[in-house]
């Protein structure tokens, strides 16, 4: 199953190729005729579900009259990377496809915004907290430990050689109050937040209950921005039955506005740390 995973690189390439084709007013049939393939291949490629050879890519870019050298280089790299498997994370049947996609996004991103109202996000979790959460989603100690190991693997993006992404987390107070495991486990998790918080590189902000309704009431979402300026931001929304990607500019814009509004509505990071430390100390006293 893992071999059929749609890579994020392939998704980004397809999204940009669709934009370029439509900007020239060209049909799927016209693109398919130019590289002598069925129309369905172009459709699959633009939806991130099928690859392009380097020759096919260059032929289409010539057809689309793309003269931006930098963008051509970026698309060429995405085409190559979308066919390769030399990514940071190991690819195996033991890693769920959804997790492979998430790790690929986190690996590629230059900046990430995370809004989480229910639990401490995976990128910030301690091993003990992650284990307590994982036991509600998978069966068996081996599966739990495998899940914890992969969650810790995700956190390696903060120490990657080419520079960690800039990450902003906005948490609802409920994420801190909802205890996972023992009070001791929860307290250590909250202290961990204070330890890793280092604006502007990793920023944690809190929306307390007393601030009432806010722009995050629709639920959790993650907003990814990339080093390649030509690539649009991408939004990931996960739900009980799967996940939804929002890639088109018009679809991403409401989430960008929500992210800005949530940051403005949340407590400043230093004040958030004071409140988080108070909650942790209260747990330790109980």
């Amino acid at each position: 199953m893992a071999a059929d995973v749609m890579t994020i690189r392939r998704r980004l390439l397809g999204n940009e190729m669709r934009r370029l084709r439509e900007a020239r007013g060209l049909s799927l049939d016209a693109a398919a005729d130019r590289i002598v393939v069925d129309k369905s291949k172009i459709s699959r490629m633009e939806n991130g579900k099928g690859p392009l050879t380097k020759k096919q890519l260059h032929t289409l870019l010539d057809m689309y009259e793309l003269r931006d050298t930098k963008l051509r280089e970026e698309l060429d790299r995405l085409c190559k990377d979308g066919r390769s498997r030399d990514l940071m994370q190991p690819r195996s049947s033991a890693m769920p496809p959804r997790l492979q996609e998430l790790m690929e996004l986190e690996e590629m991103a230059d900046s990430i915004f995370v809004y989480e109202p229910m639990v401490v996000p995976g990128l910030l979790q301690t091993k003990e907290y992650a284990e307590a959460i994982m036991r509600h989603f998978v069966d068996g100690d081996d599966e739990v430990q495998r899940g914890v190991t992969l969650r810790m693997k995700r956190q390696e993006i903060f120490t990657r050689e080419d520079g960690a992404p800039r990450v902003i987390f906005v948490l609802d107070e409920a994420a801190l109050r909802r205890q996972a495991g023992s009070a001791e486990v929860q307290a250590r998790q909250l202290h961990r937040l204070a330890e890793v918080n280092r604006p502007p590189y990793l920023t944690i902000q809190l929306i307390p209950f007393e601030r009432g309704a806010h722009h995050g009431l629709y639920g959790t979402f993650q907003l990814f921005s990339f080093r390649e300026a030509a690539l649009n931001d991408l939004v990931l929304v996960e739900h009980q039955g799967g996940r939804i990607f929002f890639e088109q500019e018009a679809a991403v814009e409401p989430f960008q506005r929500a992210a800005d509004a949530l940051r403005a509505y949340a407590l400043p990071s230093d004040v958030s740390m004071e409140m988080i430390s108070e909650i942790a100390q209260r747990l330790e006293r109980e």
Side-chain angles (χ1 to χ4, degrees):
M1 185 174 182
D4 296 327
V5 171
M6 182 193 309
T7 71
I8 296 303
R9 289 162 171 79
R10 194 176 288 175
R11 179 187 290 277
L12 291 170
L13 174 65
N15 191 50
E16 187 64 20
M17 293 299 287
R18 181 193 303 111
R19 184 188 70 80
L20 291 170
R21 177 180 60 78
E22 291 177 347
R24 299 297 302 169
L26 297 169
S27 67
L28 287 171
D29 288 313
D33 289 345
R34 179 59 63 93
I35 60 174
V36 195
V37 297
D38 188 85
K39 179 174 69 173
S40 64
K41 179 177 176 64
I42 300 295
S43 178
R44 285 179 56 78
M45 177 274 293
E46 290 185 350
N47 287 312
K49 297 178 181 179
L52 277 177
T53 67
K54 184 175 181 179
K55 181 178 180 180
Q56 288 172 333
L57 172 69
H58 290 179
T59 299
L60 289 176
L61 293 182
D62 290 342
M63 181 186 190
Y64 301 159
E65 299 182 20
L66 180 64
R67 297 184 174 85
D68 185 329
T69 303
K70 181 174 175 55
L71 179 53
R72 289 184 74 111
E73 290 174 352
E74 291 170 353
L75 295 177
D76 197 49
R77 182 182 60 78
L78 286 174
C79 180
K80 176 184 176 183
D81 290 348
R83 299 193 304 269
S84 69
R85 292 297 182 185
D86 57 347
L87 303 177
M88 177 185 72
Q89 72 274 12
R91 289 194 177 262
S92 69
S93 58
M95 184 181 293
R98 289 175 62 183
L99 182 56
Q100 290 183 16
E101 283 192 330
L102 178 59
M103 291 181 72
E104 203 166 286
L105 265 176
E106 292 169 346
E107 180 193 348
M108 289 184 65
D110 183 57
S111 65
I112 305 171
F113 175 88
V114 179
Y115 169 65
E116 177 54 70
M118 303 301 289
V119 297
V120 173
L123 287 174
L124 298 174
Q125 291 177 5
T126 64
K127 289 184 179 180
E128 296 81 6
Y129 183 95
E131 180 176 339
I133 294 292
M134 203 71 65
R135 290 193 180 280
H136 293 280
F137 296 96
V138 297
D139 297 323
D141 288 342
D142 289 346
E143 290 301 313
V144 169
Q145 292 309 314
R146 184 177 293 111
V148 172
T149 298
L150 291 172
R151 188 152 294 183
M152 296 303 105
K153 180 72 174 176
R154 286 173 55 200
Q155 297 178 8
E156 291 181 10
I157 64 168
F158 296 122
T159 57
R160 69 189 187 193
E161 292 183 359
D162 60 341
R166 179 173 177 265
V167 188
I168 299 170
F169 299 91
V170 174
L171 311 181
D172 194 278
E173 184 176 344
L176 310 183
R177 300 285 186 182
R178 179 169 290 101
Q179 188 170 311
S182 66
E184 183 180 6
V185 167
Q186 186 74 12
R188 283 203 296 266
Q189 174 63 76
L190 299 187
H191 284 308
R192 171 71 178 280
L193 300 182
E195 292 169 3
V196 300
N197 186 61
R198 50 187 180 89
Y201 307 104
L202 193 161
T203 305
I204 301 170
Q205 293 182 251
L206 178 65
I207 301 180
F209 290 145
E210 64 189 32
R211 297 222 161 171
H214 54 74
H215 289 78
L217 295 182
Y218 284 113
T220 184
F221 68 93
Q222 299 179 62
L223 174 64
F224 297 87
S225 300
F226 305 95
R227 298 179 190 86
E228 298 82 2
L231 299 177
N232 290 336
D233 289 357
L234 184 148
V235 172
L236 170 61
V237 176
E238 299 193 82
H239 55 87
Q240 195 74 18
R243 60 174 36 156
I244 303 172
F245 288 100
F246 295 91
E247 303 160 278
Q248 300 299 322
E249 187 174 350
V252 170
E253 185 179 2
F255 291 95
Q256 293 170 325
R257 291 199 303 268
D260 291 341
L262 286 165
R263 287 212 68 191
Y265 202 59
L267 297 175
S269 188
D270 56 345
V271 180
S272 296
M273 291 304 106
E274 293 175 4
M275 185 171 178
I276 289 171
S277 295
E278 289 174 4
I279 297 172
Q281 292 167 9
R282 191 176 304 122
L283 283 166
E284 292 170 330
R285 291 194 298 267
E286 293 175 353

